Amino acid sequence: MQHRLFFVLGLAGLWACSVVLGAQAQSSLPAGAPAALQQFDTDYSAHNIDLSTLRSGGPPKDGIPSVDAPVFVSVGAAQDWIAPEEPVIAFEYNGAARAYPLQILTHHEIVNDRVGGTPVAVTFCPLCYSALVFVRTLDGTPVEFGVSGMLRNSDLVMYDRKTETLWQQLTGKAIVGDRAGDTLEQLPSQIVSFRQFADSYPDGAVLSRDTGHDRPYGRNPYAGYDDIDSRPFAYDGPVDDRLPPMEKVVAVSVGTTHKAYPHSTTEEERVVHDTVGGRPLVVLHAPGAVSALDAPEIEDSKETGSTGVFVPRVDGRSLQFSYVGKGRFQDAETKSTWTVTGEAIEGPLEGTQLDRVRHGDYFAFAWLAFRPDATVFEAEVGS
C-alpha cells in the first residue's frame, strides 16, 4: 500500500537504528516474537495470543502519528475542504456530537480526544475499514493511545503510553504486556457522509486539518484497496469461504453472539429486522456516502452508503421500518420519518433518537478472522 510504503522508505533509517539499539534485548523476547516488540517497555511474557501472528506493517512505533491535541471547527467551516459525500466517523456522547473525517484518520488512525467529559480514543484501521471508539482510561486514569506499527490479521495494533501494553483495535482487548487480558469499553459510533452528519448535528464539531502534521488530507493513500476482488494487505490468517474477503459487512456483537450482514444484502434490502443474542435490532443502509479507500481523491470514490444499527423500540413500543427513498426511512406504526443516524425528523415521533447498537462496517476477512463463530445473515427469498 502506498501509505505504508511511504513510511517504510522515509523511516527506514530510524527503524534500523531502533533494531540495532534493541539487539541486546532481543534475546529476552519470547520465542516467535517479532523484533519490533523490542520497542515497547512492557512485560512480553504476559500475552494471550501467538506472538508469531504479530507482524510489522512497515512504520515503527508512532511512525504513523496519533492526533493528541485535536482541534475542531464548525460544520460550516469544514465545508471549505470536505465534500458532502465524504465519509466521517460520527460520534455523539453526553450531548456532544463530533465528526472525524476519514480523510484525516487514514493518515493518523488514532485521535485521543475528550467528548462529553469522557476521554475517548477514536480509531480507524484502513486495512480493515474498522472504526471504533473506546473509553481511554485505565484504573480511572486517562491514557493516550498510539499506533504500534504492528498488525495482527491485518488489523491495527495500538499501544497505551502508560504501560505500553499492546491492544487489538478490532476487539479492544489487551494482547501483550502488563494489561494483557483487559478489554476497553467500546462506545457506539457509525460511518456516515459529512452531509448526513451535518443534517443530523448542524451544531456538531468536525476534526480539523490542524493536526500538527503535514499530510495530503483528502487524498487516499490506499487507492484501489476497497475492491471486492482485491486481496487483504499483510494477511495470512484463516480464510472463511462464506464471503469474499474484501466484501464489507455490517458487524454486530450482542454479548457473546456475533453476526455479519453483507453490504451486498443490506444495500439491496435497505432495512433488515433481526434478533441477535435475544435482542431485536434493525439494520439501516442509506445511500449518500462514498468509500475512503477507492479513488486517489476520496471525494471521487464509489458510492458505498452509510449504515446504522438500532433498537427498534420507542417507549416500549416496537417499530417496523421500511425505506421510503432519498436516504429516509419510515416506521409503520406512526408514519414518522427517520434518518440513518436513528433520528425521527418528521411525524409524531419527531425529535426521538433510537438507542444505538454498537456495530462496524468491516471487510469480511477481518471480522471473520477475529469472530470465526459469527453467523452470516442471509435474506429470505422473496423478502
Side-chain angles (χ1 to χ4, degrees):
M1 304 280 68
Q2 299 175 26
H3 188 48
R4 291 185 179 271
L5 288 176
F6 168 80
F7 279 114
V8 169
L9 295 173
L11 298 168
L14 175 62
W15 172 232
C17 179
S18 69
V19 171
V20 170
L21 291 175
Q24 293 181 337
Q26 185 170 358
S27 61
S28 64
L29 290 177
L37 201 56
Q38 298 167 167
Q39 301 170 92
F40 302 92
D41 183 16
T42 196
D43 181 5
Y44 310 138
S45 67
H47 57 87
N48 48 39
I49 62 166
D50 178 351
L51 294 177
S52 67
T53 61
L54 289 169
R55 59 186 298 179
S56 172
K61 172 184 177 183
D62 291 323
I64 296 176
S66 58
V67 177
D68 302 327
V71 177
F72 292 86
V73 297
S74 68
V75 166
Q79 291 174 349
D80 293 338
W81 48 268
I82 184 169
E85 295 80 16
E86 279 195 47
V88 302
I89 300 173
F91 177 61
E92 190 273 333
Y93 191 70
N94 285 346
R98 291 190 177 170
Y100 302 83
L102 293 192
Q103 64 159 265
I104 298 175
L105 267 292
T106 53
H107 294 275
H108 295 285
E109 302 191 4
I110 299 174
V111 178
N112 290 294
D113 198 7
R114 185 179 289 268
V115 180
T118 298
V120 296
V122 180
T123 71
F124 178 66
C125 177
L127 300 177
C128 297
Y129 218 89
S130 47
L132 298 97
V133 178
F134 301 104
V135 176
R136 57 177 182 90
T137 58
L138 297 179
D139 299 326
T141 302
V143 298
E144 286 186 349
F145 282 85
V147 180
S148 74
M150 287 189 286
L151 302 170
R152 180 167 169 262
N153 289 333
S154 198
D155 181 50
L156 163 66
V157 175
M158 314 180 295
Y159 80 98
D160 72 81
R161 294 185 175 130
K162 179 181 180 182
T163 71
E164 302 215 341
T165 295
L166 300 183
W167 302 76
Q168 191 76 60
Q169 183 248 8
L170 208 143
T171 65
K173 291 185 177 180
I175 54 176
V176 182
D178 299 338
R179 308 290 303 212
D182 289 359
T183 301
L184 298 171
E185 179 186 356
Q186 182 190 344
L187 301 174
S189 62
Q190 64 186 127
I191 297 176
V192 300
S193 71
F194 174 63
R195 176 189 284 120
Q196 288 163 339
F197 175 84
D199 287 346
S200 293
Y201 308 104
D203 296 323
V206 183
L207 178 68
S208 81
R209 290 175 163 183
D210 183 12
T211 63
H213 302 276
D214 183 14
R215 296 290 186 273
Y217 300 126
R219 289 194 58 81
N220 168 23
Y222 301 86
Y225 190 63
D226 191 353
D227 182 341
I228 198 169
D229 295 321
S230 66
R231 296 176 59 86
F233 175 75
Y235 180 73
D236 52 12
V239 176
D240 191 314
D241 61 6
R242 289 178 292 173
L243 291 170
M246 296 296 288
E247 174 161 8
K248 284 205 187 80
V249 299
V250 181
V252 176
S253 292
V254 177
T256 59
T257 303
H258 313 291
K259 197 159 189 177
Y261 300 82
H263 269 212
S264 57
T265 298
T266 59
E267 190 169 9
E268 180 178 354
E269 298 288 327
R270 294 300 182 192
V271 177
V272 173
H273 282 273
D274 200 11
T275 299
V276 178
R279 185 180 192 182
L281 54 79
V282 61
V283 180
L284 307 180
H285 193 144
V290 300
S291 169
L293 304 179
D294 178 42
E297 295 289 337
I298 293 177
E299 65 180 297
D300 297 330
S301 291
K302 64 184 180 183
E303 162 85 31
T304 58
S306 304
T307 69
V309 183
F310 306 95
V311 178
R313 293 179 66 85
V314 173
D315 295 331
R317 183 183 189 183
S318 295
L319 302 178
Q320 192 74 19
F321 290 88
S322 62
Y323 184 65
V324 293
K326 297 184 178 181
R328 297 293 187 253
F329 305 85
Q330 188 178 83
D331 70 82
E333 290 71 23
T334 74
K335 306 301 182 184
S336 296
T337 302
W338 303 77
T339 67
V340 74
T341 59
E343 180 189 10
I345 56 173
E346 293 179 0
L349 295 178
E350 181 178 353
T352 301
Q353 172 66 53
L354 295 174
D355 289 339
R356 301 175 178 89
V357 176
R358 290 177 306 189
H359 79 287
D361 294 283
Y362 312 142
F363 291 127
F365 83 87
W367 177 246
L368 296 175
F370 289 103
R371 306 297 189 195
D373 58 339
T375 57
V376 176
F377 175 82
E378 295 183 12
E380 295 181 5
V381 177
S383 64

